[in-house]
Amino acid sequence: MNKSSKYHHGNLKEEMLQLSLETISKEGIEVLTLKFLGDKLGTSRSAIYRHFSSKHDLIQNVIAYGFNLFEEALIPTLNKTNGTVLERLYSMGDSYLNFAIKNQNLYRVLFGEKYQDIRETTCTLANENIEDSFTLLIMLLEEGKEKEILKIENSFLQAQTIHALIHGIAILYIDGHINIKKNIKELYKISFDSLINGIKK
Protein backbone atom coordinates (compact mmCIF):
# COMPACT_ATOMS: atom_id res chain seq x y z
CA MET A 1 0.00 0.00 0.00
CA ASN A 2 1.53 3.36 -0.98
CA LYS A 3 1.44 6.51 1.13
CA SER A 4 -1.30 8.27 -0.81
CA SER A 5 -3.70 5.32 -0.44
CA LYS A 6 -3.02 5.21 3.31
CA TYR A 7 -3.79 8.90 3.61
CA HIS A 8 -7.15 8.38 1.90
CA HIS A 9 -8.00 6.05 4.75
CA GLY A 10 -7.57 8.91 7.21
CA ASN A 11 -4.16 8.02 8.65
CA LEU A 12 -2.32 11.18 7.64
CA LYS A 13 -2.94 13.10 10.87
CA GLU A 14 -1.78 10.17 12.99
CA GLU A 15 1.35 9.73 10.86
CA MET A 16 2.10 13.44 11.08
CA LEU A 17 1.81 13.37 14.87
CA GLN A 18 4.00 10.29 15.14
CA LEU A 19 6.59 11.85 12.82
CA SER A 20 6.42 15.04 14.90
CA LEU A 21 7.26 13.09 18.05
CA GLU A 22 10.12 11.27 16.29
CA THR A 23 11.45 14.60 15.02
CA ILE A 24 11.22 16.22 18.45
CA SER A 25 13.03 13.25 19.98
CA LYS A 26 15.90 13.25 17.47
CA GLU A 27 16.25 16.88 16.39
CA GLY A 28 14.17 19.03 18.74
CA ILE A 29 10.95 20.92 18.13
CA GLU A 30 12.70 23.87 16.45
CA VAL A 31 12.94 22.04 13.10
CA LEU A 32 9.28 21.02 13.15
CA THR A 33 7.17 22.83 10.55
CA LEU A 34 4.26 21.91 8.31
CA LYS A 35 6.58 22.07 5.30
CA PHE A 36 9.05 19.75 7.03
CA LEU A 37 6.28 17.18 7.64
CA GLY A 38 4.98 17.50 4.09
CA ASP A 39 8.44 16.97 2.61
CA LYS A 40 9.16 14.00 4.88
CA LEU A 41 5.85 12.30 4.13
CA GLY A 42 5.74 13.29 0.48
CA THR A 43 2.28 14.80 0.66
CA SER A 44 0.78 18.05 -0.59
CA ARG A 45 0.41 21.28 1.34
CA SER A 46 -3.37 21.14 0.91
CA ALA A 47 -3.46 17.69 2.52
CA ILE A 48 -1.38 18.98 5.43
CA TYR A 49 -3.63 22.02 5.94
CA ARG A 50 -6.73 19.84 6.08
CA HIS A 51 -5.42 18.62 9.44
CA PHE A 52 -3.37 21.54 10.79
CA SER A 53 -4.08 25.18 9.97
CA SER A 54 -0.72 26.50 11.23
CA LYS A 55 2.43 25.56 13.13
CA HIS A 56 0.68 26.78 16.30
CA ASP A 57 -2.16 24.34 15.60
CA LEU A 58 0.37 21.55 14.95
CA ILE A 59 2.20 22.18 18.22
CA GLN A 60 -1.08 22.29 20.12
CA ASN A 61 -1.99 18.89 18.70
CA VAL A 62 1.50 17.53 19.43
CA ILE A 63 1.17 18.66 23.06
CA ALA A 64 -2.24 17.01 23.37
CA TYR A 65 -0.87 13.83 21.77
CA GLY A 66 2.17 13.90 24.05
CA PHE A 67 0.06 14.32 27.17
CA ASN A 68 -2.05 11.34 26.11
CA LEU A 69 1.13 9.24 26.00
CA PHE A 70 2.18 10.65 29.38
CA GLU A 71 -1.18 9.75 30.92
CA GLU A 72 -1.05 6.26 29.39
CA ALA A 73 2.27 5.75 31.17
CA LEU A 74 1.04 6.88 34.59
CA ILE A 75 -2.65 6.00 34.88
CA PRO A 76 -2.23 2.19 34.98
CA THR A 77 0.05 2.46 38.03
CA LEU A 78 -2.46 4.70 39.83
CA ASN A 79 -5.44 2.55 38.86
CA LYS A 80 -3.93 -0.69 40.13
CA THR A 81 -6.29 -2.70 42.32
CA ASN A 82 -3.42 -4.56 43.95
CA GLY A 83 -0.56 -3.08 45.92
CA THR A 84 -0.60 -0.76 48.89
CA VAL A 85 -1.11 3.00 48.66
CA LEU A 86 2.62 3.55 49.17
CA GLU A 87 3.56 0.97 46.54
CA ARG A 88 1.26 2.59 44.00
CA LEU A 89 2.61 6.04 44.81
CA TYR A 90 6.16 4.80 44.30
CA SER A 91 5.25 3.09 41.01
CA MET A 92 3.62 6.25 39.73
CA GLY A 93 6.79 8.27 40.36
CA ASP A 94 8.94 5.58 38.79
CA SER A 95 6.74 5.55 35.67
CA TYR A 96 6.91 9.34 35.54
CA LEU A 97 10.72 9.31 35.58
CA ASN A 98 10.87 6.55 32.98
CA PHE A 99 8.67 8.62 30.65
CA ALA A 100 10.78 11.76 31.16
CA ILE A 101 14.06 9.92 30.57
CA LYS A 102 12.76 8.16 27.46
CA ASN A 103 11.16 11.30 25.98
CA GLN A 104 13.45 14.12 27.06
CA ASN A 105 12.75 16.66 24.31
CA LEU A 106 9.03 15.94 24.40
CA TYR A 107 9.06 16.30 28.18
CA ARG A 108 10.52 19.79 27.82
CA VAL A 109 7.73 20.68 25.39
CA LEU A 110 5.05 19.32 27.73
CA PHE A 111 6.35 20.86 30.96
CA GLY A 112 8.74 23.63 29.92
CA GLU A 113 8.08 27.37 29.93
CA LYS A 114 8.42 27.97 26.16
CA TYR A 115 5.04 26.53 25.19
CA GLN A 116 3.21 27.33 28.42
CA ASP A 117 0.47 29.39 26.71
CA ILE A 118 -0.25 26.68 24.15
CA ARG A 119 -0.16 24.02 26.86
CA GLU A 120 -2.66 25.89 29.03
CA THR A 121 -5.00 26.36 26.09
CA THR A 122 -4.71 22.68 25.23
CA CYS A 123 -5.46 21.63 28.81
CA THR A 124 -8.43 24.01 28.95
CA LEU A 125 -9.88 22.46 25.80
CA ALA A 126 -9.50 18.94 27.21
CA ASN A 127 -12.58 17.06 28.35
CA GLU A 128 -12.81 17.59 32.10
CA ASN A 129 -14.59 14.25 32.52
CA ILE A 130 -11.57 12.27 31.34
CA GLU A 131 -9.47 10.78 34.11
CA ASP A 132 -6.01 12.28 34.42
CA SER A 133 -3.04 11.17 36.47
CA PHE A 134 -3.02 14.24 38.73
CA THR A 135 -6.65 13.71 39.74
CA LEU A 136 -5.93 10.03 40.36
CA LEU A 137 -2.91 11.00 42.46
CA ILE A 138 -5.13 13.19 44.63
CA MET A 139 -7.60 10.32 44.96
CA LEU A 140 -4.80 7.96 45.96
CA LEU A 141 -3.62 10.38 48.62
CA GLU A 142 -7.19 10.66 49.87
CA GLU A 143 -7.33 6.87 50.03
CA GLY A 144 -4.16 6.87 52.11
CA LYS A 145 -5.70 9.46 54.41
CA GLU A 146 -8.95 7.50 54.81
CA LYS A 147 -7.04 4.31 55.58
CA GLU A 148 -4.99 6.26 58.14
CA ILE A 149 -1.77 5.51 56.29
CA LEU A 150 -1.01 9.16 55.49
CA LYS A 151 -1.48 12.36 57.48
CA ILE A 152 -2.52 14.93 54.91
CA GLU A 153 -4.48 18.14 55.39
CA ASN A 154 -4.63 19.22 51.73
CA SER A 155 -4.40 16.44 49.15
CA PHE A 156 -4.22 18.88 46.24
CA LEU A 157 -1.19 20.70 47.66
CA GLN A 158 0.43 17.39 48.61
CA ALA A 159 -0.06 16.11 45.05
CA GLN A 160 1.60 19.29 43.75
CA THR A 161 4.50 18.71 46.15
CA ILE A 162 4.96 15.15 44.89
CA HIS A 163 4.83 16.34 41.30
CA ALA A 164 7.39 19.07 42.03
CA LEU A 165 9.74 16.54 43.59
CA ILE A 166 9.61 14.11 40.67
CA HIS A 167 9.70 16.89 38.09
CA GLY A 168 12.80 18.33 39.72
CA ILE A 169 14.63 15.01 39.57
CA ALA A 170 13.57 14.55 35.93
CA ILE A 171 14.81 17.99 34.89
CA LEU A 172 18.14 17.51 36.67
CA TYR A 173 18.58 14.30 34.71
CA ILE A 174 17.57 15.87 31.39
CA ASP A 175 19.89 18.85 31.99
CA GLY A 176 22.78 16.41 32.21
CA HIS A 177 23.84 16.54 35.83
CA ILE A 178 26.27 13.63 35.89
CA ASN A 179 25.63 12.49 39.44
CA ILE A 180 21.90 12.43 38.77
CA LYS A 181 22.36 10.40 35.59
CA LYS A 182 24.40 7.81 37.44
CA ASN A 183 22.12 7.52 40.47
CA ILE A 184 18.64 8.65 39.41
CA LYS A 185 16.79 5.59 40.72
CA GLU A 186 18.64 5.72 44.03
CA LEU A 187 17.99 9.45 44.31
CA TYR A 188 14.30 8.91 43.59
CA LYS A 189 14.04 6.21 46.28
CA ILE A 190 15.76 8.39 48.89
CA SER A 191 13.60 11.39 47.95
CA PHE A 192 10.42 9.31 48.01
CA ASP A 193 11.27 7.78 51.38
CA SER A 194 12.05 11.21 52.85
CA LEU A 195 8.76 12.64 51.58
CA ILE A 196 6.70 9.67 52.76
CA ASN A 197 8.33 9.71 56.19
CA GLY A 198 7.03 13.26 56.53
CA ILE A 199 3.40 12.36 55.78
CA LYS A 200 3.17 8.75 56.93
CA LYS A 201 1.30 7.98 60.15
Side-chain angles (χ1 to χ4, degrees):
M1 182 183 289
N2 60 39
K3 286 181 179 177
S4 61
S5 63
K6 283 197 295 184
Y7 297 158
H8 293 159
H9 285 87
N11 292 331
L12 178 57
K13 183 175 183 178
E14 179 73 16
E15 291 207 14
M16 289 174 68
L17 288 171
Q18 289 182 5
L19 177 57
S20 295
L21 293 188
E22 291 172 14
T23 302
I24 291 169
S25 176
K26 294 175 183 177
E27 304 178 60
I29 197 169
E30 290 74 20
V31 305
L32 190 63
T33 64
L34 295 177
K35 182 179 185 304
F36 174 88
L37 294 178
D39 291 345
K40 283 285 186 179
L41 293 172
T43 192
S44 66
R45 175 175 289 190
S46 61
I48 296 288
Y49 277 93
R50 278 198 293 270
H51 297 285
F52 304 112
S53 60
S54 63
K55 180 174 180 177
H56 182 282
D57 186 30
L58 170 63
I59 292 175
Q60 187 174 51
N61 276 269
V62 166
I63 288 174
Y65 195 80
F67 269 118
N68 283 339
L69 295 176
F70 176 75
E71 297 293 355
E72 287 173 8
L74 268 63
I75 285 176
T77 64
L78 290 163
N79 267 340
K80 280 182 179 178
T81 55
N82 60 334
T84 67
V85 168
L86 297 183
E87 287 170 346
R88 287 149 62 197
L89 277 173
Y90 188 88
S91 286
M92 179 278 299
D94 194 49
S95 296
Y96 186 116
L97 286 176
N98 288 338
F99 180 89
I101 292 168
K102 184 180 177 182
N103 305 279
Q104 296 181 30
N105 288 338
L106 175 61
Y107 185 83
R108 283 194 181 281
V109 173
L110 297 182
F111 292 99
E113 183 180 0
K114 185 172 183 179
Y115 296 102
Q116 181 179 355
D117 292 343
I118 299 178
R119 179 174 66 247
E120 289 179 355
T121 302
T122 303
C123 292
T124 300
L125 293 174
N127 187 340
E128 294 180 357
N129 295 321
I130 295 176
E131 279 187 325
D132 65 273
S133 57
F134 190 77
T135 300
L136 291 174
L137 174 57
I138 294 172
M139 291 170 62
L140 184 56
L141 292 172
E142 285 292 327
E143 180 184 338
K145 183 179 179 179
E146 289 171 8
K147 291 180 176 178
E148 298 187 346
I149 298 169
L150 304 174
K151 51 182 182 183
I152 295 172
E153 292 184 7
N154 189 318
S155 297
F156 177 79
L157 290 178
Q158 191 60 60
Q160 286 186 315
T161 301
I162 291 171
H163 177 246
L165 170 71
I166 304 169
H167 173 72
I169 296 172
I171 285 296
L172 286 172
Y173 181 96
I174 291 170
D175 281 346
H177 291 267
I178 295 173
N179 290 336
I180 302 299
K181 282 186 174 289
K182 288 180 179 178
N183 303 294
I184 186 167
K185 294 297 183 177
E186 182 181 357
L187 174 63
Y188 170 58
K189 186 178 187 313
I190 293 170
S191 301
F192 180 85
D193 289 345
S194 298
L195 183 146
I196 292 301
N197 285 335
I199 61 174
K200 187 169 61 174
K201 283 197 173 183

Short mmCIF file of all heavy atoms in Angstrom, two decimals, residues 22-47:
data_model
loop_
_atom_site.label_atom_id
_atom_site.label_comp_id
_atom_site.label_asym_id
_atom_site.label_seq_id
_atom_site.Cartn_x
_atom_site.Cartn_y
_atom_site.Cartn_z
N GLU A 22 8.80 11.80 16.66
CA GLU A 22 10.12 11.27 16.29
C GLU A 22 11.10 12.42 16.02
O GLU A 22 12.27 12.36 16.42
CB GLU A 22 9.99 10.40 15.05
CG GLU A 22 9.26 9.09 15.28
CD GLU A 22 8.99 8.34 13.98
OE1 GLU A 22 9.60 8.72 12.95
OE2 GLU A 22 8.18 7.40 13.99
N THR A 23 10.61 13.46 15.35
CA THR A 23 11.45 14.60 15.02
C THR A 23 11.86 15.35 16.28
O THR A 23 13.03 15.72 16.45
CB THR A 23 10.69 15.56 14.08
OG1 THR A 23 10.32 14.85 12.89
CG2 THR A 23 11.57 16.76 13.70
N ILE A 24 10.91 15.55 17.18
CA ILE A 24 11.22 16.22 18.45
C ILE A 24 12.26 15.42 19.22
O ILE A 24 13.21 15.98 19.78
CB ILE A 24 9.93 16.39 19.29
CG1 ILE A 24 9.02 17.43 18.63
CG2 ILE A 24 10.26 16.81 20.73
CD1 ILE A 24 7.63 17.48 19.24
N SER A 25 12.11 14.12 19.24
CA SER A 25 13.03 13.25 19.98
C SER A 25 14.45 13.33 19.42
O SER A 25 15.42 13.41 20.18
CB SER A 25 12.53 11.80 19.94
OG SER A 25 13.44 10.92 20.56
N LYS A 26 14.58 13.33 18.10
CA LYS A 26 15.90 13.25 17.47
C LYS A 26 16.53 14.62 17.22
O LYS A 26 17.75 14.78 17.34
CB LYS A 26 15.79 12.49 16.14
CG LYS A 26 15.41 11.03 16.30
CD LYS A 26 15.21 10.37 14.94
CE LYS A 26 14.76 8.91 15.09
NZ LYS A 26 14.50 8.28 13.77
N GLU A 27 15.70 15.61 16.85
CA GLU A 27 16.25 16.88 16.39
C GLU A 27 15.76 18.09 17.18
O GLU A 27 16.28 19.19 17.01
CB GLU A 27 15.93 17.08 14.91
CG GLU A 27 16.41 15.94 14.01
CD GLU A 27 16.03 16.15 12.56
OE1 GLU A 27 16.47 17.18 12.00
OE2 GLU A 27 15.30 15.32 12.00
N GLY A 28 14.74 17.91 18.01
CA GLY A 28 14.17 19.03 18.74
C GLY A 28 12.99 19.63 18.00
O GLY A 28 12.83 19.44 16.78
N ILE A 29 12.19 20.38 18.71
CA ILE A 29 10.95 20.92 18.13
C ILE A 29 11.22 22.08 17.18
O ILE A 29 10.36 22.43 16.35
CB ILE A 29 9.98 21.35 19.25
CG1 ILE A 29 8.56 21.50 18.69
CG2 ILE A 29 10.47 22.61 19.95
CD1 ILE A 29 7.49 21.66 19.74
N GLU A 30 12.40 22.69 17.27
CA GLU A 30 12.70 23.87 16.45
C GLU A 30 12.60 23.58 14.95
O GLU A 30 12.25 24.46 14.16
CB GLU A 30 14.10 24.42 16.78
CG GLU A 30 14.21 25.05 18.15
CD GLU A 30 14.23 24.04 19.28
OE1 GLU A 30 14.53 22.85 19.02
OE2 GLU A 30 13.92 24.43 20.42
N VAL A 31 12.94 22.36 14.54
CA VAL A 31 12.94 22.04 13.10
C VAL A 31 11.55 21.65 12.61
O VAL A 31 11.35 21.47 11.40
CB VAL A 31 13.93 20.90 12.77
CG1 VAL A 31 15.31 21.24 13.27
CG2 VAL A 31 13.46 19.57 13.36
N LEU A 32 10.59 21.53 13.52
CA LEU A 32 9.28 21.02 13.15
C LEU A 32 8.42 22.11 12.52
O LEU A 32 8.08 23.11 13.14
CB LEU A 32 8.57 20.47 14.41
CG LEU A 32 7.28 19.70 14.18
CD1 LEU A 32 7.54 18.44 13.38
CD2 LEU A 32 6.64 19.34 15.53
N THR A 33 8.08 21.93 11.27
CA THR A 33 7.17 22.83 10.55
C THR A 33 6.23 21.98 9.69
O THR A 33 6.49 20.80 9.45
CB THR A 33 7.94 23.80 9.63
OG1 THR A 33 8.61 23.03 8.61
CG2 THR A 33 8.95 24.63 10.41
N LEU A 34 5.18 22.62 9.20
CA LEU A 34 4.26 21.91 8.31
C LEU A 34 4.96 21.51 7.01
O LEU A 34 4.73 20.43 6.48
CB LEU A 34 3.04 22.78 8.01
CG LEU A 34 2.15 23.12 9.22
CD1 LEU A 34 1.01 24.04 8.80
CD2 LEU A 34 1.58 21.85 9.84
N LYS A 35 5.83 22.39 6.52
CA LYS A 35 6.58 22.07 5.30
C LYS A 35 7.50 20.87 5.54
O LYS A 35 7.62 19.98 4.69
CB LYS A 35 7.39 23.27 4.85
CG LYS A 35 8.17 23.04 3.55
CD LYS A 35 8.94 24.28 3.15
CE LYS A 35 9.61 24.09 1.78
NZ LYS A 35 10.50 22.91 1.74
N PHE A 36 8.16 20.85 6.69
CA PHE A 36 9.05 19.75 7.03
C PHE A 36 8.28 18.43 7.00
O PHE A 36 8.73 17.43 6.42
CB PHE A 36 9.64 19.98 8.42
CG PHE A 36 10.47 18.84 8.94
CD1 PHE A 36 11.82 18.75 8.66
CD2 PHE A 36 9.89 17.82 9.71
CE1 PHE A 36 12.59 17.70 9.14
CE2 PHE A 36 10.65 16.77 10.20
CZ PHE A 36 12.00 16.70 9.91
N LEU A 37 7.09 18.40 7.61
CA LEU A 37 6.28 17.18 7.64
C LEU A 37 5.85 16.78 6.23
O LEU A 37 5.88 15.60 5.87
CB LEU A 37 5.06 17.37 8.54
CG LEU A 37 5.33 17.57 10.02
CD1 LEU A 37 4.03 17.80 10.77
CD2 LEU A 37 6.07 16.37 10.61
N GLY A 38 5.42 17.79 5.45
CA GLY A 38 4.98 17.50 4.09
C GLY A 38 6.10 16.91 3.24
O GLY A 38 5.89 15.94 2.50
N ASP A 39 7.29 17.47 3.37
CA ASP A 39 8.44 16.97 2.61
C ASP A 39 8.81 15.55 3.05
O ASP A 39 9.11 14.69 2.21
CB ASP A 39 9.64 17.89 2.80
CG ASP A 39 9.45 19.25 2.13
OD1 ASP A 39 8.54 19.37 1.30
OD2 ASP A 39 10.21 20.18 2.48
N LYS A 40 8.79 15.32 4.36
CA LYS A 40 9.16 14.00 4.88
C LYS A 40 8.17 12.93 4.45
O LYS A 40 8.55 11.79 4.14
CB LYS A 40 9.24 14.04 6.40
CG LYS A 40 10.49 14.70 6.96
CD LYS A 40 11.69 13.79 6.81
CE LYS A 40 12.92 14.35 7.50
NZ LYS A 40 14.10 13.46 7.37
N LEU A 41 6.89 13.28 4.44
CA LEU A 41 5.85 12.30 4.13
C LEU A 41 5.49 12.28 2.65
O LEU A 41 4.75 11.40 2.20
CB LEU A 41 4.60 12.59 4.96
CG LEU A 41 4.76 12.36 6.48
CD1 LEU A 41 3.53 12.86 7.22
CD2 LEU A 41 4.99 10.89 6.78
N GLY A 42 6.01 13.25 1.91
CA GLY A 42 5.74 13.29 0.48
C GLY A 42 4.29 13.57 0.16
O GLY A 42 3.72 12.98 -0.76
N THR A 43 3.69 14.49 0.90
CA THR A 43 2.28 14.80 0.66
C THR A 43 2.12 16.29 0.39
O THR A 43 3.03 17.09 0.67
CB THR A 43 1.42 14.38 1.88
OG1 THR A 43 0.04 14.45 1.53
CG2 THR A 43 1.69 15.27 3.08
N SER A 44 0.99 16.67 -0.13
CA SER A 44 0.78 18.05 -0.59
C SER A 44 0.49 18.99 0.58
O SER A 44 0.06 18.56 1.65
CB SER A 44 -0.39 18.10 -1.56
OG SER A 44 -1.60 17.79 -0.89
N ARG A 45 0.71 20.28 0.33
CA ARG A 45 0.41 21.28 1.34
C ARG A 45 -1.08 21.29 1.67
O ARG A 45 -1.45 21.43 2.84
CB ARG A 45 0.85 22.66 0.85
CG ARG A 45 0.47 23.79 1.81
CD ARG A 45 1.00 25.11 1.37
NE ARG A 45 2.44 25.21 1.53
CZ ARG A 45 3.12 26.34 1.39
NH1 ARG A 45 2.49 27.45 1.08
NH2 ARG A 45 4.42 26.34 1.54
N SER A 46 -1.91 21.13 0.67
CA SER A 46 -3.37 21.14 0.91
C SER A 46 -3.78 19.99 1.82
O SER A 46 -4.65 20.16 2.69
CB SER A 46 -4.13 21.08 -0.42
OG SER A 46 -3.82 19.87 -1.12
N ALA A 47 -3.15 18.83 1.65
CA ALA A 47 -3.46 17.69 2.52
C ALA A 47 -3.03 17.97 3.95
O ALA A 47 -3.73 17.62 4.91
CB ALA A 47 -2.77 16.44 2.00
#
